[in-house]
Amino acid sequence: MPEIAHIEVETELQRYFAAARLRASDYGTHYVALWDSLEQASSGGKRVRPALVLAAFAGLGGTEMSLAIPVAVSFELLHTAFVIHDDVIDRDLHRRGVANVAGRFTERALAHGAVGTQTGAWATTAAILAGDLALSEAHRALALLPIGAEQRGRLLDLLDRAVFVSAAGELADVTNTASKTPLSVEEVTVTLEQKTAVYSFEAPLMAGAVLAGASEEAIVALGRFGRLVGVAFQLTDDILGVFGDPARTGKSALTDLREGKQTALVAYAGTTGDWPAIAPFVGKADLTQDEAEEARVLLRSCGALQSTDELAIDHARRAVAALDTAAIPAVLRTTLTQLADTSVNRSR
Amino acid sequence: MPEIAHIEVETELQRYFAAARLRASDYGTHYVALWDSLEQASSGGKRVRPALVLAAFAGLGGTEMSLAIPVAVSFELLHTAFVIHDDVIDRDLHRRGVANVAGRFTERALAHGAVGTQTGAWATTAAILAGDLALSEAHRALALLPIGAEQRGRLLDLLDRAVFVSAAGELADVTNTASKTPLSVEEVTVTLEQKTAVYSFEAPLMAGAVLAGASEEAIVALGRFGRLVGVAFQLTDDILGVFGDPARTGKSALTDLREGKQTALVAYAGTTGDWPAIAPFVGKADLTQDEAEEARVLLRSCGALQSTDELAIDHARRAVAALDTAAIPAVLRTTLTQLADTSVNRSR
């Protein structure tokens, strides 16, 4: 996204949080701390969703940045809300190595003399409320747009679908854990699309296009591109989660295996004769570096790595193919083709 | 509220849930079950908030029911969202004696072979998502109203304030539990106003008035009435929670004492010389009927019951006084005066 637009999104988010913090100060220091935690949760990311909104908007002829910025902020805050509520579900107190909302309120509870189950209640309450507040602002930012009813209705429908489908994917992600056998690669892929691709790629791109007043053909093409490229990103993330260099990905290459994350790698391996040898490593909470390496050798030799790689590349290729319409201007096509390349070619 | 409007609210909610369930069926049976749980969570209540929206709307000359019904539904779904997320915070698996969203998904997880911590994850996930979905629809119902930008903006501001202040109150309710000394009566009252009165009384009444195109004076008067009568209701609930007849209130008269709920009764008692005798009963998880009766005798003799009663009556009286303006038509004033009477005169 253009640097200037990037700065405007940051400025708008800062303005929003500064106003909320000021307003919160009438309700005590804990509530101000909650808003601080929420702002922290929303910062430090790559602002992928705002970048997609603005790329589609500008790439399809949109010029009124004062309309596009709130839409970009809306999808960023939707992401923040999902991340925060996801952490409650996973009972995580940290994200990217620092205390998240629940982690910060755990510390705060202890500092204020909370005992026993009270500490957990502070943490859960703060995180649920922070997510609710971010989700509310995601809706409000679109609802207040000074545009026509039909256009606003379409944007609200995109947000509605994003919430609806993400909830389905999040639920599937959790209910899948009770499965006694590996999921199919198809099931894994569908869950990735529902849980992430729709709200993170499809909806922001389509929203930017709708706001730019683009043709129906362009809107539909961007939606299809978004779903496919979103899955390509997630499949590649799953590969990097096992085969990546922690120094480059910034993420341990043990976590996914230890947690028994149901990835396409694992799903494919489950269909091969090597599964009995691989299964003991998947979900082994105390997996060692040596065992992880053994798992990697097996995931490679059984064909799971290659198959998942190909699946990601195939999604990226189909994503680019979706752009093959005169409704998508050449410059936008070039930008998005680069994005599709990045989705599968990242540091391992 | 007029019976016909009541039916229209129910019909609209049923229509909404039926459409969502149909849409959810593309995403598997667990997601359909989630929507079933959400519909159940939203049903069986007294529809207080829709009734207030419609009373203010009709009482101030509003006639276009197709506009008022979505606003009524919005505040009802906001309530549903708060109740569901509140239950996650309190780790409750039941509400009004039946399994709530988390309770139903606990059963569902076990039926589908979930083991260990998975069961809790199913329950928490379902409840957080159900709340998010209800909260989203609360926003969407207002955002889609076919009215002018200024009027819609005012309604969205009321919803925004309702979410913002309720979150502050919910947080205060939880952080207050770490307090080593009883709260002051003032602190208890402020928390009741923030946590419940604003979103349940103030906002629905003001929204109905705004939608009816009422005067600024009428809108402000209804807001003030709502805050005060909402506190009167909550104070009376706290009295009934200890002194009520379970056969009439439908609620155990032990729960509040056992949980150590920080009510105005307890706050007042904390300022009296009887507190050392009362304190051991407050928060005693295995409190017996005899001990509860002893606590009641003490709460009466120390003046806590009478003081709380007077505080509730004073709020109800001030609520009615807020209506003393020509901007509030006589018929609406009569209706709301009856409501204020009910707030403090309920079956004990």
Side-chain angles (χ1 to χ4, degrees):
Chain A
M1 103 177 116
E3 189 57 28
I4 183 71
H6 182 80
I7 292 169
E8 280 181 53
V9 169
E10 294 303 320
T11 304
E12 178 57 23
L13 281 164
Q14 283 168 13
R15 193 206 55 73
Y16 164 64
F17 285 115
R21 210 168 17 236
L22 185 65
R23 199 174 161 201
S25 63
D26 286 345
Y27 299 86
T29 56
H30 294 311
Y31 199 40
V32 175
L34 180 69
W35 280 97
D36 284 338
S37 300
L38 178 52
E39 179 166 24
Q40 187 202 278
S42 105
S43 67
K46 280 172 280 183
R47 307 289 191 217
V48 173
R49 293 147 201 91
L52 293 173
V53 170
L54 298 173
F57 180 69
L60 289 161
T63 54
E64 191 48 82
M65 275 297 155
S66 67
L67 296 178
I69 300 295
V71 176
V73 164
S74 168
F75 283 101
E76 188 64 14
L77 289 175
L78 180 68
H79 173 57
T80 302
F82 285 162
V83 164
I84 292 173
H85 280 178
D86 207 26
D87 281 354
V88 178
I89 290 166
D90 294 341
R91 301 170 157 273
D92 282 331
L93 298 180
H94 297 85
R95 182 165 281 260
R96 297 197 209 102
V98 296
N100 61 11
V101 177
R104 287 169 67 132
F105 267 78
T106 299
E107 292 161 15
R108 196 171 177 85
L110 294 172
H112 283 80
V115 291
T117 57
Q118 286 173 359
T119 309
W122 281 50
T124 306
T125 304
I128 288 181
L129 294 174
D132 288 350
L133 292 164
L135 178 61
S136 291
E137 185 63 20
H139 286 279
R140 179 173 163 84
L142 294 193
L144 288 175
L145 282 176
I147 54 179
E150 195 194 326
Q151 206 177 19
R152 191 173 50 247
R154 288 205 64 175
L155 292 176
L156 291 168
D157 284 351
L158 289 172
L159 180 62
D160 182 56
R161 170 170 155 84
V163 171
F164 189 91
V165 176
S166 303
E170 179 83 22
L171 185 67
D173 209 32
V174 172
T175 56
N176 282 345
T177 58
S179 174
K180 295 288 172 280
T181 50
L183 302 177
S184 70
V185 172
E186 170 70 13
E187 286 169 320
V188 169
T189 309
V190 165
T191 303
L192 293 179
E193 180 179 315
Q194 291 172 359
K195 191 182 168 187
T196 308
V198 169
Y199 95 81
S200 297
F201 293 87
E202 178 199 282
L205 285 167
M206 292 180 82
V210 165
L211 194 65
S215 69
E216 208 51 41
E217 200 179 342
I219 296 166
V220 169
L222 287 190
R224 181 167 166 76
F225 170 84
R227 276 190 305 284
L228 289 161
V229 86
V231 172
F233 262 103
Q234 295 298 306
L235 289 170
T236 306
D237 273 353
D238 283 350
I239 293 172
L240 292 174
V242 175
F243 290 94
D245 173 2
R248 304 186 70 170
T249 63
K251 187 183 156 189
S252 160
L254 293 175
T255 311
D256 282 4
L257 285 171
R258 283 181 174 168
E259 289 178 353
K261 190 172 172 193
Q262 293 182 310
T263 63
L265 287 171
V266 169
Y268 183 90
T271 67
T272 70
D274 287 346
W275 179 241
I278 295 169
F281 297 126
V282 177
K284 185 170 191 287
D286 58 354
L287 191 80
T288 64
Q289 290 286 2
D290 284 353
E291 287 170 330
E293 194 47 42
E294 209 174 322
R296 279 182 210 112
V297 168
L298 288 163
L299 286 168
R300 203 182 284 268
S301 64
C302 81
L305 174 59
Q306 191 185 337
S307 165
T308 306
D309 239 340
E310 285 170 2
L311 189 63
I313 291 166
D314 180 57
H315 275 81
R317 192 183 299 129
R318 286 158 59 208
V320 172
L323 303 174
D324 191 16
T325 152
I328 306 290
V331 175
L332 179 57
R333 196 179 309 152
T334 303
T335 305
L336 295 179
T337 302
Q338 283 168 359
L339 180 73
D341 287 345
T342 307
S343 74
V344 289
N345 294 313
R346 280 178 290 158
S347 25
R348 201 170 276 174
Chain B
M1 110 176 111
E3 187 58 26
I4 183 71
H6 183 79
I7 291 169
E8 280 182 53
V9 169
E10 294 301 322
T11 303
E12 179 58 21
L13 280 165
Q14 283 167 14
R15 192 207 55 73
Y16 164 64
F17 284 115
R21 209 167 18 236
L22 185 64
R23 200 175 162 200
S25 63
D26 286 345
Y27 299 86
T29 55
H30 295 310
Y31 200 39
V32 175
L34 180 69
W35 280 98
D36 284 338
S37 301
L38 178 51
E39 180 167 23
Q40 187 201 278
S42 105
S43 67
K46 279 171 281 182
R47 307 290 191 217
V48 172
R49 294 147 201 88
L52 293 173
V53 170
L54 298 172
F57 180 70
L60 289 161
T63 53
E64 190 49 81
M65 274 296 156
S66 68
L67 297 178
I69 299 295
V71 176
V73 165
S74 169
F75 283 101
E76 187 64 12
L77 289 175
L78 180 68
H79 172 58
T80 302
F82 286 162
V83 164
I84 292 172
H85 280 179
D86 206 26
D87 279 355
V88 178
I89 289 167
D90 294 340
R91 301 168 157 274
D92 283 332
L93 298 180
H94 296 86
R95 181 166 284 261
R96 297 197 208 101
V98 296
N100 62 11
V101 177
R104 287 169 67 133
F105 267 77
T106 299
E107 292 161 13
R108 195 170 179 86
L110 294 171
H112 282 80
V115 290
T117 58
Q118 286 172 357
T119 308
W122 282 50
T124 305
T125 304
I128 288 180
L129 293 174
D132 288 350
L133 291 164
L135 178 60
S136 291
E137 185 64 19
H139 286 279
R140 181 174 161 83
L142 295 193
L144 288 175
L145 282 176
I147 56 179
E150 195 195 325
Q151 206 177 20
R152 190 172 50 247
R154 289 204 64 175
L155 292 176
L156 290 168
D157 284 351
L158 289 172
L159 179 61
D160 182 57
R161 171 172 154 85
V163 171
F164 190 92
V165 175
S166 303
E170 179 82 22
L171 186 67
D173 209 32
V174 172
T175 55
N176 283 345
T177 58
S179 174
K180 296 286 171 281
T181 50
L183 300 178
S184 70
V185 172
E186 170 70 12
E187 286 169 321
V188 169
T189 308
V190 165
T191 303
L192 293 179
E193 179 178 314
Q194 292 172 358
K195 193 183 167 187
T196 309
V198 169
Y199 95 82
S200 296
F201 293 87
E202 177 198 281
L205 284 167
M206 290 180 82
V210 165
L211 194 66
S215 68
E216 208 51 42
E217 199 179 343
I219 296 166
V220 169
L222 286 190
R224 181 169 165 77
F225 170 84
R227 275 191 305 285
L228 288 161
V229 85
V231 171
F233 262 104
Q234 296 298 306
L235 288 169
T236 306
D237 273 353
D238 284 350
I239 293 171
L240 292 174
V242 174
F243 291 94
D245 173 2
R248 304 185 70 171
T249 64
K251 188 186 154 186
S252 160
L254 294 176
T255 311
D256 282 3
L257 284 171
R258 284 181 172 168
E259 290 178 352
K261 190 173 172 192
Q262 294 183 308
T263 62
L265 288 172
V266 169
Y268 183 92
T271 66
T272 70
D274 287 345
W275 180 241
I278 296 169
F281 298 125
V282 177
K284 187 170 191 288
D286 59 352
L287 190 81
T288 65
Q289 291 285 2
D290 284 353
E291 288 169 329
E293 193 47 42
E294 209 173 323
R296 279 182 210 112
V297 169
L298 288 163
L299 286 169
R300 201 182 286 267
S301 63
C302 80
L305 174 59
Q306 189 184 339
S307 165
T308 306
D309 239 339
E310 285 171 0
L311 189 63
I313 291 167
D314 180 56
H315 275 81
R317 191 182 300 129
R318 285 159 58 208
V320 173
L323 302 174
D324 190 15
T325 152
I328 305 291
V331 174
L332 179 58
R333 194 179 312 152
T334 303
T335 304
L336 294 179
T337 301
Q338 283 167 359
L339 180 72
D341 286 345
T342 306
S343 73
V344 290
N345 295 313
R346 281 178 290 159
S347 24
R348 199 170 282 178

Short mmCIF file of all heavy atoms in Angstrom, two decimals, chain A residues 165-210:
data_model
loop_
_atom_site.label_atom_id
_atom_site.label_comp_id
_atom_site.label_asym_id
_atom_site.label_seq_id
_atom_site.Cartn_x
_atom_site.Cartn_y
_atom_site.Cartn_z
N VAL A 165 -18.76 -16.29 8.50
CA VAL A 165 -17.93 -17.40 8.00
C VAL A 165 -16.74 -17.64 8.94
O VAL A 165 -16.36 -18.79 9.18
CB VAL A 165 -17.47 -17.12 6.56
CG1 VAL A 165 -16.52 -18.22 6.07
CG2 VAL A 165 -18.67 -17.02 5.63
N SER A 166 -16.16 -16.57 9.46
CA SER A 166 -15.03 -16.75 10.39
C SER A 166 -15.47 -17.51 11.64
O SER A 166 -14.72 -18.35 12.15
CB SER A 166 -14.47 -15.40 10.83
OG SER A 166 -14.07 -14.65 9.73
N ALA A 167 -16.67 -17.20 12.12
CA ALA A 167 -17.19 -17.91 13.30
C ALA A 167 -17.35 -19.39 12.98
O ALA A 167 -17.00 -20.26 13.79
CB ALA A 167 -18.52 -17.30 13.75
N ALA A 168 -17.85 -19.69 11.77
CA ALA A 168 -17.99 -21.09 11.37
C ALA A 168 -16.62 -21.77 11.34
O ALA A 168 -16.46 -22.90 11.82
CB ALA A 168 -18.65 -21.17 9.99
N GLY A 169 -15.62 -21.08 10.80
CA GLY A 169 -14.28 -21.65 10.71
C GLY A 169 -13.62 -21.83 12.06
O GLY A 169 -12.97 -22.84 12.33
N GLU A 170 -13.82 -20.85 12.92
CA GLU A 170 -13.25 -20.93 14.27
C GLU A 170 -13.88 -22.10 15.04
O GLU A 170 -13.17 -22.85 15.73
CB GLU A 170 -13.54 -19.61 15.00
CG GLU A 170 -13.04 -19.53 16.42
CD GLU A 170 -11.57 -19.13 16.53
OE1 GLU A 170 -11.06 -18.53 15.58
OE2 GLU A 170 -10.94 -19.45 17.54
N LEU A 171 -15.19 -22.24 14.87
CA LEU A 171 -15.86 -23.36 15.55
C LEU A 171 -15.35 -24.69 15.00
O LEU A 171 -15.05 -25.63 15.76
CB LEU A 171 -17.38 -23.25 15.37
CG LEU A 171 -18.21 -24.29 16.13
CD1 LEU A 171 -18.11 -24.07 17.64
CD2 LEU A 171 -19.67 -24.24 15.70
N ALA A 172 -15.22 -24.78 13.67
CA ALA A 172 -14.74 -26.03 13.05
C ALA A 172 -13.33 -26.35 13.53
O ALA A 172 -13.00 -27.51 13.81
CB ALA A 172 -14.77 -25.89 11.53
N ASP A 173 -12.51 -25.33 13.65
CA ASP A 173 -11.13 -25.51 14.09
C ASP A 173 -11.10 -26.19 15.46
O ASP A 173 -10.25 -27.05 15.72
CB ASP A 173 -10.45 -24.14 14.17
CG ASP A 173 -8.96 -24.23 13.93
OD1 ASP A 173 -8.53 -25.10 13.14
OD2 ASP A 173 -8.22 -23.44 14.52
N VAL A 174 -12.02 -25.80 16.31
CA VAL A 174 -12.04 -26.36 17.67
C VAL A 174 -12.71 -27.73 17.69
O VAL A 174 -12.22 -28.67 18.32
CB VAL A 174 -12.73 -25.37 18.64
CG1 VAL A 174 -12.95 -26.00 20.00
CG2 VAL A 174 -11.89 -24.11 18.77
N THR A 175 -13.85 -27.85 16.99
CA THR A 175 -14.54 -29.14 17.01
C THR A 175 -13.73 -30.22 16.30
O THR A 175 -13.81 -31.39 16.65
CB THR A 175 -15.96 -29.04 16.38
OG1 THR A 175 -15.84 -28.52 15.06
CG2 THR A 175 -16.85 -28.12 17.19
N ASN A 176 -12.91 -29.81 15.33
CA ASN A 176 -12.05 -30.77 14.62
C ASN A 176 -11.07 -31.47 15.56
O ASN A 176 -10.63 -32.59 15.27
CB ASN A 176 -11.22 -30.06 13.54
CG ASN A 176 -12.05 -29.76 12.30
OD1 ASN A 176 -13.13 -30.31 12.12
ND2 ASN A 176 -11.54 -28.87 11.45
N THR A 177 -10.72 -30.80 16.65
CA THR A 177 -9.73 -31.40 17.55
C THR A 177 -10.23 -32.70 18.18
O THR A 177 -9.43 -33.50 18.65
CB THR A 177 -9.35 -30.44 18.70
OG1 THR A 177 -10.54 -30.11 19.41
CG2 THR A 177 -8.69 -29.17 18.18
N ALA A 178 -11.56 -32.87 18.21
CA ALA A 178 -12.08 -34.10 18.81
C ALA A 178 -12.03 -35.27 17.83
O ALA A 178 -12.32 -36.41 18.20
CB ALA A 178 -13.52 -33.88 19.29
N SER A 179 -11.65 -34.99 16.60
CA SER A 179 -11.60 -36.05 15.60
C SER A 179 -10.51 -37.06 15.95
O SER A 179 -9.40 -36.69 16.31
CB SER A 179 -11.31 -35.43 14.22
OG SER A 179 -11.12 -36.45 13.27
N LYS A 180 -10.86 -38.31 15.88
CA LYS A 180 -9.91 -39.35 16.28
C LYS A 180 -8.94 -39.69 15.14
O LYS A 180 -7.89 -40.27 15.37
CB LYS A 180 -10.67 -40.62 16.69
CG LYS A 180 -11.52 -40.44 17.95
CD LYS A 180 -10.64 -40.33 19.21
CE LYS A 180 -11.48 -39.94 20.42
NZ LYS A 180 -11.76 -38.49 20.45
N THR A 181 -9.32 -39.36 13.93
CA THR A 181 -8.46 -39.63 12.78
C THR A 181 -8.05 -38.29 12.16
O THR A 181 -8.72 -37.28 12.37
CB THR A 181 -9.23 -40.45 11.72
OG1 THR A 181 -10.48 -39.79 11.48
CG2 THR A 181 -9.50 -41.86 12.23
N PRO A 182 -6.92 -38.29 11.39
CA PRO A 182 -6.54 -37.02 10.75
C PRO A 182 -7.67 -36.55 9.85
O PRO A 182 -8.38 -37.35 9.24
CB PRO A 182 -5.31 -37.40 9.93
CG PRO A 182 -4.80 -38.66 10.51
CD PRO A 182 -5.99 -39.38 11.06
N LEU A 183 -7.83 -35.25 9.76
CA LEU A 183 -8.79 -34.69 8.82
C LEU A 183 -8.29 -34.93 7.41
O LEU A 183 -7.11 -35.20 7.19
CB LEU A 183 -8.92 -33.18 9.05
CG LEU A 183 -9.34 -32.74 10.43
CD1 LEU A 183 -9.35 -31.21 10.50
CD2 LEU A 183 -10.71 -33.28 10.76
N SER A 184 -9.17 -34.78 6.44
CA SER A 184 -8.73 -34.82 5.05
C SER A 184 -8.10 -33.48 4.70
O SER A 184 -8.35 -32.47 5.36
CB SER A 184 -9.92 -35.10 4.13
OG SER A 184 -10.77 -33.97 4.10
N VAL A 185 -7.26 -33.49 3.66
CA VAL A 185 -6.64 -32.24 3.20
C VAL A 185 -7.74 -31.24 2.82
O VAL A 185 -7.64 -30.04 3.10
CB VAL A 185 -5.71 -32.52 1.99
CG1 VAL A 185 -5.23 -31.21 1.38
CG2 VAL A 185 -4.53 -33.38 2.43
N GLU A 186 -8.81 -31.75 2.23
CA GLU A 186 -9.95 -30.91 1.85
C GLU A 186 -10.57 -30.22 3.07
O GLU A 186 -10.85 -29.02 3.05
CB GLU A 186 -10.99 -31.78 1.12
CG GLU A 186 -12.34 -31.14 0.85
CD GLU A 186 -12.26 -30.04 -0.21
OE1 GLU A 186 -11.24 -29.95 -0.90
OE2 GLU A 186 -13.24 -29.27 -0.32
N GLU A 187 -10.76 -30.99 4.13
CA GLU A 187 -11.34 -30.40 5.35
C GLU A 187 -10.43 -29.32 5.93
O GLU A 187 -10.90 -28.27 6.38
CB GLU A 187 -11.58 -31.49 6.40
CG GLU A 187 -12.76 -32.40 6.10
CD GLU A 187 -12.82 -33.62 7.01
OE1 GLU A 187 -11.77 -34.22 7.33
OE2 GLU A 187 -13.94 -34.00 7.39
N VAL A 188 -9.13 -29.59 5.92
CA VAL A 188 -8.19 -28.59 6.43
C VAL A 188 -8.26 -27.32 5.60
O VAL A 188 -8.31 -26.20 6.13
CB VAL A 188 -6.75 -29.15 6.43
CG1 VAL A 188 -5.74 -28.05 6.70
CG2 VAL A 188 -6.61 -30.27 7.45
N THR A 189 -8.29 -27.49 4.30
CA THR A 189 -8.29 -26.34 3.40
C THR A 189 -9.57 -25.51 3.57
O THR A 189 -9.52 -24.27 3.60
CB THR A 189 -8.16 -26.82 1.93
OG1 THR A 189 -7.04 -27.70 1.85
CG2 THR A 189 -7.94 -25.66 1.00
N VAL A 190 -10.68 -26.17 3.69
CA VAL A 190 -11.95 -25.47 3.88
C VAL A 190 -11.93 -24.67 5.17
O VAL A 190 -12.37 -23.51 5.22
CB VAL A 190 -13.13 -26.47 3.86
CG1 VAL A 190 -14.40 -25.81 4.41
CG2 VAL A 190 -13.37 -26.98 2.45
N THR A 191 -11.38 -25.26 6.23
CA THR A 191 -11.33 -24.54 7.51
C THR A 191 -10.43 -23.31 7.42
O THR A 191 -10.74 -22.25 7.97
CB THR A 191 -10.87 -25.48 8.64
OG1 THR A 191 -11.76 -26.59 8.70
CG2 THR A 191 -10.88 -24.77 9.99
N LEU A 192 -9.30 -23.45 6.71
CA LEU A 192 -8.40 -22.29 6.52
C LEU A 192 -9.13 -21.17 5.78
O LEU A 192 -9.01 -19.99 6.12
CB LEU A 192 -7.16 -22.68 5.71
CG LEU A 192 -6.16 -23.64 6.33
CD1 LEU A 192 -5.02 -23.90 5.35
CD2 LEU A 192 -5.61 -23.08 7.64
N GLU A 193 -9.89 -21.56 4.77
CA GLU A 193 -10.63 -20.55 4.00
C GLU A 193 -11.64 -19.84 4.88
O GLU A 193 -11.72 -18.61 4.87
CB GLU A 193 -11.34 -21.22 2.81
CG GLU A 193 -12.12 -20.23 1.97
CD GLU A 193 -12.81 -20.88 0.78
OE1 GLU A 193 -12.18 -21.70 0.09
OE2 GLU A 193 -14.00 -20.59 0.56
N GLN A 194 -12.39 -20.63 5.66
CA GLN A 194 -13.44 -20.05 6.49
C GLN A 194 -12.85 -19.20 7.62
O GLN A 194 -13.32 -18.10 7.89
CB GLN A 194 -14.31 -21.16 7.10
CG GLN A 194 -15.15 -21.89 6.07
CD GLN A 194 -15.85 -23.10 6.65
OE1 GLN A 194 -15.70 -23.41 7.82
NE2 GLN A 194 -16.60 -23.79 5.82
N LYS A 195 -11.86 -19.76 8.28
CA LYS A 195 -11.37 -19.11 9.50
C LYS A 195 -10.57 -17.84 9.18
O LYS A 195 -10.58 -16.89 9.96
CB LYS A 195 -10.51 -20.09 10.31
CG LYS A 195 -10.20 -19.58 11.69
CD LYS A 195 -9.31 -20.53 12.48
CE LYS A 195 -8.80 -19.82 13.73
NZ LYS A 195 -7.81 -20.59 14.47
N THR A 196 -9.86 -17.84 8.06
CA THR A 196 -8.95 -16.72 7.80
C THR A 196 -9.12 -16.05 6.45
O THR A 196 -9.15 -14.82 6.35
CB THR A 196 -7.49 -17.18 7.96
OG1 THR A 196 -7.34 -17.84 9.21
CG2 THR A 196 -6.53 -16.01 7.89
N ALA A 197 -9.20 -16.86 5.39
CA ALA A 197 -9.13 -16.27 4.05
C ALA A 197 -10.28 -15.31 3.77
O ALA A 197 -10.10 -14.26 3.15
CB ALA A 197 -9.09 -17.38 2.99
N VAL A 198 -11.47 -15.64 4.25
CA VAL A 198 -12.63 -14.80 3.94
C VAL A 198 -12.51 -13.42 4.60
O VAL A 198 -12.64 -12.39 3.93
CB VAL A 198 -13.95 -15.50 4.35
CG1 VAL A 198 -15.12 -14.53 4.29
CG2 VAL A 198 -14.20 -16.69 3.42
N TYR A 199 -12.22 -13.39 5.90
CA TYR A 199 -12.20 -12.08 6.56
C TYR A 199 -10.91 -11.31 6.30
O TYR A 199 -10.91 -10.08 6.33
CB TYR A 199 -12.50 -12.21 8.06
CG TYR A 199 -11.30 -12.29 8.98
CD1 TYR A 199 -10.62 -11.15 9.38
CD2 TYR A 199 -10.86 -13.51 9.47
CE1 TYR A 199 -9.52 -11.22 10.24
CE2 TYR A 199 -9.77 -13.60 10.33
CZ TYR A 199 -9.10 -12.45 10.71
OH TYR A 199 -8.03 -12.53 11.54
N SER A 200 -9.81 -12.03 6.04
CA SER A 200 -8.51 -11.35 5.90
C SER A 200 -8.18 -10.96 4.47
O SER A 200 -7.40 -10.03 4.26
CB SER A 200 -7.39 -12.25 6.42
OG SER A 200 -7.53 -12.51 7.78
N PHE A 201 -8.73 -11.66 3.50
CA PHE A 201 -8.37 -11.40 2.10
C PHE A 201 -9.60 -11.08 1.25
O PHE A 201 -9.66 -10.04 0.61
CB PHE A 201 -7.60 -12.60 1.54
CG PHE A 201 -6.25 -12.80 2.18
CD1 PHE A 201 -6.11 -13.54 3.34
CD2 PHE A 201 -5.11 -12.21 1.64
CE1 PHE A 201 -4.86 -13.70 3.95
CE2 PHE A 201 -3.86 -12.37 2.22
CZ PHE A 201 -3.74 -13.11 3.39
N GLU A 202 -10.56 -12.02 1.23
CA GLU A 202 -11.73 -11.80 0.38
C GLU A 202 -12.46 -10.50 0.73
O GLU A 202 -12.68 -9.65 -0.14
CB GLU A 202 -12.70 -12.99 0.53
CG GLU A 202 -13.97 -12.83 -0.29
CD GLU A 202 -15.10 -13.75 0.20
OE1 GLU A 202 -15.05 -14.96 -0.11
OE2 GLU A 202 -16.01 -13.26 0.89
N ALA A 203 -12.84 -10.36 1.99
CA ALA A 203 -13.68 -9.23 2.38
C ALA A 203 -12.98 -7.87 2.23
O ALA A 203 -13.57 -6.94 1.67
CB ALA A 203 -14.20 -9.42 3.81
N PRO A 204 -11.73 -7.71 2.67
CA PRO A 204 -11.08 -6.40 2.50
C PRO A 204 -10.93 -6.01 1.03
O PRO A 204 -11.18 -4.85 0.67
CB PRO A 204 -9.70 -6.60 3.15
CG PRO A 204 -9.89 -7.71 4.12
CD PRO A 204 -10.91 -8.62 3.51
N LEU A 205 -10.56 -6.97 0.19
CA LEU A 205 -10.41 -6.67 -1.24
C LEU A 205 -11.76 -6.27 -1.85
O LEU A 205 -11.86 -5.28 -2.59
CB LEU A 205 -9.84 -7.88 -1.99
CG LEU A 205 -8.34 -8.14 -1.80
CD1 LEU A 205 -7.98 -9.52 -2.33
CD2 LEU A 205 -7.51 -7.06 -2.51
N MET A 206 -12.78 -7.06 -1.55
CA MET A 206 -14.10 -6.75 -2.12
C MET A 206 -14.63 -5.42 -1.59
O MET A 206 -15.25 -4.65 -2.32
CB MET A 206 -15.10 -7.88 -1.81
CG MET A 206 -14.78 -9.19 -2.54
SD MET A 206 -15.96 -10.52 -2.15
CE MET A 206 -17.33 -10.10 -3.26
N ALA A 207 -14.36 -5.14 -0.31
CA ALA A 207 -14.82 -3.88 0.27
C ALA A 207 -14.16 -2.69 -0.43
O ALA A 207 -14.83 -1.69 -0.75
CB ALA A 207 -14.54 -3.85 1.77
N GLY A 208 -12.86 -2.80 -0.67
CA GLY A 208 -12.17 -1.73 -1.39
C GLY A 208 -12.76 -1.52 -2.78
O GLY A 208 -12.93 -0.39 -3.24
N ALA A 209 -13.09 -2.64 -3.43
CA ALA A 209 -13.66 -2.57 -4.78
C ALA A 209 -15.06 -1.95 -4.76
O ALA A 209 -15.39 -1.10 -5.60
CB ALA A 209 -13.69 -3.97 -5.40
N VAL A 210 -15.88 -2.38 -3.81
CA VAL A 210 -17.24 -1.84 -3.71
C VAL A 210 -17.18 -0.33 -3.46
O VAL A 210 -17.89 0.45 -4.09
CB VAL A 210 -18.02 -2.54 -2.57
CG1 VAL A 210 -19.28 -1.75 -2.20
CG2 VAL A 210 -18.38 -3.96 -2.97
#
